[in-house]
Amino acid sequence: MKRAASKAAFERAKKLIPGGVNSPARAFGAVGGEPVFIDRADGAYLFDLDGNRYIDYIGSWGPMILGHRHPVVLAALEDALARGTSFGAPTEAESELAELLIEAVPSVEKVRLVSSGTEATMSAIRLARGFTGRDLVVKFAGNYHGHVDSLLVAAGSSAATLSVPNSPGVTAGTSRDTLVLRYNDVDGLAEAFSRHGQRIACVICEPIVGNMGCVRGSAAFVAALRELCSRYGALLAFDEVMTGFRVAYGGAQSLLGVRPDLTTLGKIVGGGLPVGAYGGRADVMDHVLPAGKVFQAGTLSGNPLATAAGIATLRYLRDQDPYPRLEETSAQLAAGLESAAAQAGIPHCLQRCGSMMTLFFHPGPVTNWDAAAACDTEAFARHFHGLLDRGVYMPCSQYEALFVSTAHGPGEIEATVSAAREVLRGRGA
Ligand code: KE4
């Protein structure tokens, strides 16, 4: 595939922007080669500067559950645009989006809008510490919660991909207040609580992980999170930036039947524009300034264009309920990828929740970071580039999930599976 224009664009970008990208996840660090520069997108497809077309399984790393340029989102944006782009004063649209979030996610009684998932998790951590008066935060290896200093310890996603799970610049003092445990390890969690329970402000986790690849929390682990946090007076925070409105309209917590004290959201709730949110128990949220004393602010929080795209997306998901069809399309893709890897005799396991999934180059099961870190990332890189050259754009890291949108249909799935058969058979792992 010719990518001369992308190559030139990358050369230019590298002179202006560190690494030529505005987020390391896009840099192809884990798979080698140079990033593709996108010109436009439509439905299930991306088009690069050289005019190559790709079936898109990144979906902007999750937000584009309706595919690109969905008519209801474009109409809402045009309508909002006609009234202005940002006011720095409250609007009804913010209450509209807040109502949709509160109605959809049972544990969210009050919510604050911000502009990214990172802002949401950073604010939730600060609120938990302010509410409890405690310092210690517990997170899990392989879980990624954005580039928050206190959570950039043993992080997943591009931090793991580029093997900087503990970023320089995060001080020893900050890391001292963060306890990193093994995901799905009930005994380890109980042990940590028995030793530090009275100091723990909150436990934050991805209830279904996307950032070490797709890994589910076991029922026992999720139950232990809830029980131990309640017993020791710590807050349980579910980071649903990726799973919110992705795995179900009510997020992972609606599938797991567990109510966290705080939930962080992002990605889909902005419909492709910058929106993050954190919410939960009203008695906790009422500690946020100006209702309470925990400071958090943002110039573009609740931005009119971003809330318009988010409202249109969530209303569509609520009223049209595309989840059964998404489940069908995703199951077809999973079965096809799984059989292609099996026929090629490649050690693999495919782990999925709804329309997010990961083909691990590992015999499986992958239940924590130790297992994920043992994946054959070279084989993954060959798989990625083989598919890219055949017009299928998968997430450029073994430690990410791929996303199916409502714009993906049988044609896209068949083309993807046949390309995967060719690549996996031809290349092996
Ligand atoms: P943002 O600040 O990137 O909007 O959200 C951070 C974040 C928080 N929590 C979870 C569970 C997340 O998955 C993310 C961001 N996800 C990555 C991809 N795994 C974003 C891609 C990128 O960093 O460019």
Side-chain angles (χ1 to χ4, degrees), residues 9-371:
F10 190 45
E11 289 315 310
R12 176 185 176 211
K14 281 191 291 189
K15 297 190 185 83
L16 307 163
I17 302 165
V21 291
N22 283 305
S23 191
R26 312 171 189 169
F28 279 25
V31 292
E34 298 191 336
V36 172
F37 275 62
I38 302 304
D39 173 50
R40 65 186 181 88
D42 201 24
Y45 292 92
L46 294 171
F47 299 84
D48 71 13
L49 295 183
D50 293 280
N52 300 309
R53 188 185 79 160
Y54 306 90
I55 303 172
D56 176 21
Y57 288 101
I58 300 188
S60 178
W61 300 99
M64 310 316 290
I65 194 168
L66 301 185
H68 296 284
R69 302 187 64 251
H70 193 286
V72 299
V73 178
L74 295 188
L77 281 170
E78 275 159 31
D79 177 49
L81 209 50
R83 297 202 306 279
T85 58
S86 182
F87 312 127
T91 63
E92 280 267 72
E94 293 158 75
S95 302
E96 185 66 43
L97 182 52
E99 266 174 3
L100 282 163
L101 298 176
I102 289 165
E103 174 195 77
V105 187
S107 65
V108 175
E109 297 169 349
K110 276 197 172 175
V111 67
R112 171 59 69 86
L113 302 179
V114 292
S115 298
S116 71
T118 294
E119 269 194 277
T121 57
M122 174 176 67
S123 309
I125 295 294
R126 184 180 313 127
L127 172 58
R129 286 171 160 158
F131 176 78
T132 61
R134 300 176 181 181
D135 296 346
L136 202 52
V137 166
V138 174
K139 70 155 296 213
F140 298 92
N143 282 212
Y144 176 69
H145 305 291
H147 59 96
V148 188
D149 272 12
S150 57
L151 299 175
L152 262 185
V153 183
S157 186
S158 52
T161 297
L162 302 169
S163 63
V164 279
N166 306 309
S167 167
V170 175
T171 64
T174 305
S175 310
R176 236 193 323 273
D177 287 335
T178 306
L179 193 56
V180 183
L181 302 181
R182 182 178 292 115
Y183 195 75
N184 273 325
D185 177 1
V186 175
D187 295 341
L189 181 68
E191 161 73 14
F193 266 99
S194 68
R195 290 176 57 191
H196 308 288
Q198 304 308 332
R199 292 179 50 227
I200 297 174
C202 90
V203 176
I204 186 167
C205 75
E206 295 180 64
I208 295 171
V209 184
N211 289 293
M212 52 174 139
C214 187
V215 173
R216 284 173 176 261
S218 70
F221 179 65
V222 171
L225 285 168
R226 181 62 280 171
E227 197 278 324
L228 287 164
C229 282
S230 301
R231 195 191 320 166
Y232 285 88
L235 295 185
L236 176 58
F238 275 1
D239 179 354
E240 296 226 42
V241 165
M242 188 183 289
T243 53
F245 300 92
R246 167 61 63 182
V247 298
Y249 188 67
Q253 56 194 272
S254 69
L255 299 178
L256 299 169
V258 169
R259 286 170 78 105
D261 303 299
L262 288 172
T263 298
T264 55
L265 296 162
K267 297 181 191 278
I268 289 172
V269 303
L273 271 73
V275 177
Y278 65 104
R281 284 168 34 193
D283 65 315
V284 177
M285 291 302 293
D286 280 341
H287 279 68
V288 179
L289 201 74
K293 296 197 176 349
V294 176
F295 189 84
Q296 180 266 308
T299 302
L300 296 173
S301 299
N303 170 271
L305 300 187
T307 48
I311 290 164
T313 300
L314 297 195
R315 278 181 179 160
Y316 184 93
L317 293 171
R318 180 193 63 188
D319 301 341
Q320 306 302 325
D321 184 17
Y323 293 96
R325 192 159 53 81
L326 266 176
E327 173 57 28
E328 210 179 298
T329 309
S330 305
Q332 278 161 8
L333 176 63
L337 293 176
E338 221 287 332
S339 78
Q343 281 162 20
I346 290 170
H348 70 283
C349 67
L350 192 139
Q351 298 183 177
R352 175 174 77 88
C353 185
S355 57
M356 67 185 261
M357 68 185 89
T358 300
L359 177 64
F360 287 100
F361 286 75
H362 181 291
V366 177
T367 58
N368 59 35
W369 174 243
D370 301 335

